[in-house]
Amino acid sequence: MESAALKRDQKEQATKRARGKYLKIHVVCKASAALATLVAAALMGFNKQISNVAGFEIKATYNSSPAFKFFVIGNAIACGYSVLSLPFVAYMVEGWMLNLLDLLNLGLVMAAASAAAAIGYVGKYGNDEIGWTKVCPYYEKFCGRTQISIACSYVGFLLFLFVCAMSSVYKSRLSNSD
């Protein structure tokens, strides 16, 4: 009898330690992802450059492209969700709602980063087949900051991916231990 109770107590202690470790990693990764998406949105949002092209002053901002607007808004939403969900992680960790919202957030960041990367690629390399010229030689600072911003967004994406994968593994282990 004592041995069964001892094993049950040891199992409960191991479960508590695993939950505590999971929560710490989850919070750190989610906070880091929030910071990465905040930096991405802010860097792109405040990114602008005025350049003379053929005697005309042309201003490049994130408003120049719908994809860049989506990038800023998507990263801002992802950052906001991450910050707002942090206090609820400990209460919702065993449920499905937090995991679902994290997956939606992951998809949003992936879509926003991919859209901006596609437009950035065309801006940097152009497309000779359809006559789109490179614009980055005229807007070097804007393009450089855009690349950094997109890289930060992809870091946030990878962190959200890790959070989602870790949640799946944690919940799988919980269900298998019962």
Side-chain angles (χ1 to χ4, degrees), residues 70-129:
F70 174 57
F71 178 81
V72 170
I73 293 167
N75 278 286
I77 290 171
C79 176
Y81 160 75
S82 296
V83 170
L84 291 175
S85 69
L86 280 174
F88 303 106
V89 168
Y91 303 108
M92 297 175 71
V93 74
E94 276 85 18
W96 57 270
M97 183 60 79
L98 185 65
N99 200 22
L100 176 65
L101 293 172
D102 285 345
L103 283 169
L104 291 172
N105 203 33
L106 171 72
L108 177 63
V109 173
M110 181 182 63
S114 298
I119 295 301
Y121 181 87
V122 172
K124 185 168 185 171
Y125 299 106
N127 188 331
D128 293 333
E129 291 179 21

Side-chain angles (χ1 to χ4, degrees), residues 31-54:
S32 299
L35 181 63
T37 55
L38 174 67
V39 169
L43 193 57
M44 181 66 87
F46 293 111
N47 190 10
K48 64 181 171 184
Q49 182 179 355
I50 298 172
S51 184
N52 284 326
V53 180

Side-chain angles (χ1 to χ4, degrees), residues 1 5 12-13 19 27-28 33 36 45 48 76-77 92 98 108 111 134 136 141-142 156 167-168 170:
M1 290 290 239
E12 287 177 14
Q13 290 297 324
R19 185 178 194 273
V27 168
V28 167
K48 64 181 171 184
I77 290 171
M92 297 175 71
L98 185 65
L108 177 63
K134 302 173 190 177
C136 283
K141 289 180 184 176
F142 180 82
S167 294
S168 296
Y170 175 75

